[in-house]
Amino acid sequence: MTDLPRIPLAAVIGHPIAHSRSPALHGYWLRRYGIKGHYIPMDVATQDLQQALEIMPKLGFVGANVTLPHKEAVLKLADVITDRAALIGAANTLIFRADGRLHADNTDGAGFIANLRQNAPQWDPTAGPAAVFGAGGAARAVIAALIEVGAPEIRIVNRTRPRAEALRSDFGAKITVVDWVQAPNMLEGASTVVNTTSLGMTGKSEFRVPLDALERTALVTDLVYTPLKTHFLIEAESKGCTVVDGLGMLLHQAVPGFERWFGKRPEVDEATRQAVLSA
Ligand code: NAP
């Protein structure tokens, strides 16, 4: 009997995981491109993470996405870590290499930039300072990406100031830390404005910051994508700003993993958005 090729498997690993939209996204691309493969959600508790990563390649998994609370922990278990994942201190994309080594990457920052380039093609990150709300894991990816594309200055405000200070020591002199009570002032002259806090998400408190100092020419984006149009984006749009929602970041960060695991670079377009929104 001839050996049939193994059907490639991939997963998103988190705890909890039932809310993840990644299975709907990858499932859509697999169907769209007629690829024989599967992508599943895997609820893995922290104490089982190492064992899960050891067994998965033996079961036919070629890779995985990683989400909360494992994004930092996987770096300690990986054999090869990309520079950007090391800089961010977290990984979201894993590859189980044929040589048995575990490769860890972080594609959140690239997804963030690709989303803005696709939906606001006139956006110029070098045009002026960026103002970033929040200093959590997502903020680290956003800041690394903004530095890479040439933002001249990045102002950060976070409820817990020491977390923002830590970003300054990790990312250097381009970072200015602003006090939480001074948040509205950091919008002055900013050409890129980003909410990376979880405020504004369905079920959480609203993200309310006075936008009087917001420039009409600023590009404003929110990483929160449930709801798709957050109160923050609605307010910014009413001031005349170009706004971009956070769903595109989720779609774009998934592209490198899918390409690596299934051998096809998937397209992010309106049909992809609708497939995820309607799931
Ligand atoms: P995280 O590491 O837990 O950070 C949460 C951030 O929100 C921190 O800056 C935190 O401030 C702030 N925050 C939470 N509650 C707050 C409150 N009541 N008042 C003021 N600030 C508050 O989470 P994360 O991984 O960075 O994710 C942040 C958000 O981005 C989430 O909504 C996540 O879903 C979203 N996200 C979206 C994408 C995408 O593809 N669109 C990708 C990654 C993340 P403190 O430090 O003071 O706690």
Side-chain angles (χ1 to χ4, degrees), residues 77-262:
L77 302 170
D79 303 301
V80 184
I81 300 169
T82 61
D83 288 348
R84 57 192 184 178
L87 181 66
I88 294 163
N92 70 343
T93 305
L94 301 178
I95 295 154
F96 299 119
R97 293 185 1 175
D99 64 5
R101 303 216 292 167
L102 178 60
H103 179 278
D105 190 11
N106 194 315
T107 63
D108 273 340
F112 169 75
I113 298 295
N115 183 33
L116 298 185
R117 297 246 190 253
Q118 183 176 45
N119 293 296
Q122 75 288 4
W123 173 61
D124 176 6
T126 68
V132 176
F133 293 89
R140 295 184 77 88
V142 164
I143 288 160
L146 285 170
I147 290 174
E148 202 180 317
V149 295
E153 178 196 344
I154 300 170
R155 303 164 182 169
I156 308 176
V157 71
N158 195 49
R159 175 182 61 176
T160 311
R161 191 180 162 114
R163 261 184 124 179
E165 306 273 10
L167 289 182
R168 186 179 149 76
S169 62
D170 288 352
F171 289 99
K174 278 192 171 182
I175 310 292
T176 314
V177 176
V178 177
D179 227 52
W180 186 244
V181 289
Q182 300 292 329
N185 300 341
M186 78 165 180
L187 298 175
E188 214 174 293
S191 61
T192 308
V193 178
V194 191
N195 175 37
T196 77
T197 75
S198 46
L199 290 172
M201 208 167 150
T202 307
K204 301 247 173 173
S205 305
E206 201 50 87
F207 177 49
R208 289 199 186 275
V209 61
L211 298 184
D212 304 307
L214 184 64
E215 311 280 344
R216 204 175 42 80
T217 50
L219 178 281
V220 180
T221 185
D222 200 329
L223 264 52
V224 171
Y225 55 85
T226 47
L228 212 47
K229 260 295 174 65
T230 59
H231 176 79
F232 175 56
L233 291 186
I234 293 168
E235 288 266 297
E237 199 166 35
S238 76
K239 296 212 128 242
C241 297
T242 301
V243 302
V244 177
D245 68 58
L247 182 61
M249 175 174 169
L250 176 81
L251 306 180
H252 282 284
Q253 63 76 31
V255 168
F258 188 93
E259 182 176 20
R260 196 64 194 257
W261 307 324
F262 300 116

